Amino acid sequence: MKKIALLGSTGSIGQSTLSICEAYPDRFLPVAFAAGSNVELAFDQCLRWHPQIVSMATEQHAEALSHRLEVAALYDTDVVYGTAGTVQVATLPDADFVVSAIVGVAGLEATYAAVLAGKTVGLANKECLVAAGDLILAAARERGVALLPIDSEHNAVHQCLRGGAANEVKQIWLTASGGPFRNTPLADFANITPAQALKHPTWVMGQRITIDSATMLNKGLEIIEACRLFDLPPAQVRVTVHPQSTIHSLVEYIDGSILAQISVTDMRLPILYALSWPERMASELTFDMSALSQLDFQQPDFERFPCLRLAYEAASTSQAHCIALNAADEVAVDAFLAGKLSFVGIPRTIEHVLALTIGGSPASIPEVLEADHAARELAAEIVAKQ
Ligand SMILES: NC(=O)c1ccc[n+]([C@@H]2O[C@H](COP(=O)([O-])OP(=O)(O)OC[C@H]3O[C@@H](n4cnc5c(N)ncnc54)[C@H](OP(=O)(O)O)[C@@H]3O)[C@@H](O)[C@H]2O)c1
């Protein structure tokens, strides 16, 4: 039985992880949760799973959850909060597998702590690797910790890499659906509303990643994530737009063979793969090959989606630029969702922050967080001026 600490239990990935635990009760048991502000759902999850510990984002949310648990006479769950709380969840001695699915840099310290504590980590949170991939990967290598990608593209690459040796890889291809605005005239981009951007054509996900998919910054973060995870330079991480989202990514080998991973567009499959690795477990998440009629591929349009270009530039410039890219985007997406910034203002803000970023490579997590904080302040100033 694998005992699981779930960071981001109330989110889209968190809930999909719990549905896998539900489907395989004799294999996976969630024992600890970290959530943000959704007290109602965290309470329901406590009722169902009786975790040893739950962390909420703030003291106020933790108090609200404690109160609900007391009224329900549930006394077997400790309630903690804040970053320290997420670290307690990630390092719970009884847990052997940590699913990292808090959105944004808020998940960084807990993910790093999980690696330091020697836990196997299933990584959905790409922002951790974008901001501090070198530190996390170095700590994982030192401790022999497995980092298993849950992001569907990286999970697909992980699977395809089983087909050859690292020095036989020529390049990898990340597929991108192209988001809802793949065919929208560029002239209409300035008028795109949050409601339009939140309608992803193929995936149901949290708000930030859905907006990031619409700007294709999500693919940009994935390029950096792939460079870190698979130890490849940006030039060997390519993007192809594949609107059907049937192939989740591909690995091209030096002999000319290209291996692709095909499956349903359902995040439960990469989650199951990570949780059960190195085994494969039988599932009902089957793909109907007889219904497959068309696979389209297009070059990404860097003019329509400047975030892709910005991500390649950040990846080729410095770690500080990768941190700034992500931090500026988090601020810009919040502002867009709040109606304070236009859709085209998102790449504009990121580009401006990157131009003002001084290169470098933070040597510790506190230094990463400092760089992240500085980039956020800069982004907030730039957003305010727009
Ligand atoms: N969804 C997908 O299909 C998908 C695919 C690939 C990768 N990912 C990555 O996986 C991560 C999660 O994505 P998602 O779509 O599941 O996001 P989501 O639905 O927005 O969920 C985010 C989770 O993080 C929690 N959270 C937010 N701020 C927090 C804080 N300060 N402290 C503790 N918990 C906090 C939220 O709690 P509350 O809801 O309680 O506030 C929620 O549980 C992201 O990094 C995303 O890029 C997602």
Side-chain angles (χ1 to χ4, degrees):
M1 174 77 83
K2 269 186 196 162
K3 292 189 179 166
I4 293 157
L6 179 51
L7 305 170
S9 63
T10 47
S12 165
I13 293 288
Q15 292 178 64
S16 294
T17 303
L18 289 176
S19 75
I20 290 290
C21 295
E22 198 79 67
Y24 298 87
D26 51 342
R27 294 295 302 266
F28 309 122
L29 178 68
V31 292
F33 297 142
S37 55
N38 192 340
V39 173
E40 270 317 298
L41 185 52
F43 173 71
D44 289 346
Q45 292 177 344
C46 288
L47 272 184
R48 167 64 188 90
W49 296 103
H50 297 268
Q52 295 175 30
I53 182 168
V54 174
S55 177
M56 299 300 296
T58 65
E59 185 172 12
Q60 189 195 358
H61 292 116
E63 274 172 8
L65 177 63
S66 296
H67 177 69
R68 294 291 314 269
L69 292 173
E70 260 176 50
V71 170
L74 279 178
Y75 303 112
D76 45 4
T77 300
D78 280 342
V79 182
V80 294
Y81 64 90
T83 303
T86 60
V87 169
Q88 267 180 276
V89 168
T91 56
L92 184 76
D94 204 26
D96 29 42
F97 193 108
V98 174
V99 173
S100 169
I102 289 177
V103 63
V105 161
L108 173 59
E109 280 158 290
T111 305
Y112 189 62
V115 172
L116 292 184
K119 314 285 188 193
T120 304
V121 177
L123 203 56
N125 174 311
K126 60 195 84 187
E127 298 90 344
C128 289
L129 286 189
V130 170
D134 44 353
L135 298 173
I136 294 174
L137 266 294
R141 267 192 298 270
E142 231 170 70
R143 288 161 184 76
V145 163
L147 284 179
L148 301 161
I150 285 177
D151 217 346
S152 59
E153 293 78 0
H154 305 74
N155 185 273
V157 170
H158 192 274
Q159 299 197 39
C160 295
L161 285 174
R162 286 170 139 185
N167 64 358
E168 293 167 350
V169 173
K170 183 176 175 198
Q171 55 191 354
I172 64 177
W173 290 91
L174 303 179
T175 52
S177 70
F181 308 124
R182 190 169 48 90
N183 296 318
T184 304
L186 200 48
D188 296 348
F189 269 44
N191 302 319
I192 288 171
T193 64
Q196 290 169 323
L198 283 169
K199 277 194 201 126
H200 194 278
T202 47
W203 293 97
V204 179
M205 307 178 287
Q207 286 204 338
R208 183 192 172 198
I209 184 173
T210 306
I211 301 299
D212 283 349
S213 298
T215 60
M216 287 195 78
L217 191 274
N218 180 52
K219 206 52 54 184
L221 297 178
E222 288 177 3
I223 291 164
I224 302 170
E225 182 185 9
C227 293
R228 303 289 178 264
L229 265 178
F230 307 119
D231 199 16
L232 291 169
Q236 279 173 262
V237 179
R238 309 285 301 277
V239 173
T240 178
V241 175
H242 169 46
Q244 292 88 4
S245 298
T246 299
I247 294 179
H248 297 296
S249 278
L250 314 94
V251 175
E252 183 174 345
Y253 285 94
I254 49 176
D255 63 355
S257 296
I258 299 180
L259 302 194
Q261 190 261 348
I262 292 181
S263 57
V264 284
T265 48
D266 187 326
M267 287 307 293
R268 287 176 300 165
L269 189 55
I271 293 169
L272 176 63
Y273 173 86
L275 288 178
S276 57
W277 181 87
E279 274 179 67
R280 282 189 190 269
M281 286 172 58
S283 91
E284 288 170 4
L285 298 164
T286 47
F287 180 84
D288 182 4
M289 278 304 284
S290 63
L292 179 62
S293 58
Q294 200 174 345
L295 295 173
D296 295 318
F297 300 95
Q298 295 158 8
Q299 291 288 331
D301 182 339
F302 287 84
E303 197 193 340
R304 190 183 293 260
F305 299 107
C307 285
L308 258 187
R309 168 181 58 78
L310 295 171
Y312 269 117
E313 284 170 10
S316 310
T317 310
S318 80
Q319 187 53 36
H321 285 80
C322 296
I323 295 169
L325 176 91
N326 176 62
D329 178 64
E330 281 195 37
V331 172
V333 168
D334 280 351
F336 171 67
L337 287 172
K340 293 179 184 158
L341 186 69
S342 69
F343 189 74
V344 290
I346 298 174
R348 222 168 22 220
T349 302
I350 299 171
E351 184 147 30
H352 204 145
V353 170
L354 288 178
L356 295 172
T357 299
I358 299 162
S361 202
S364 66
I365 297 294
E367 282 184 27
V368 168
L369 293 172
E370 221 173 275
D372 173 79
H373 184 70
R376 272 167 208 274
E377 290 203 327
L378 198 52
E381 276 172 34
I382 292 164
V383 166
K385 280 185 196 150
Q386 290 180 60

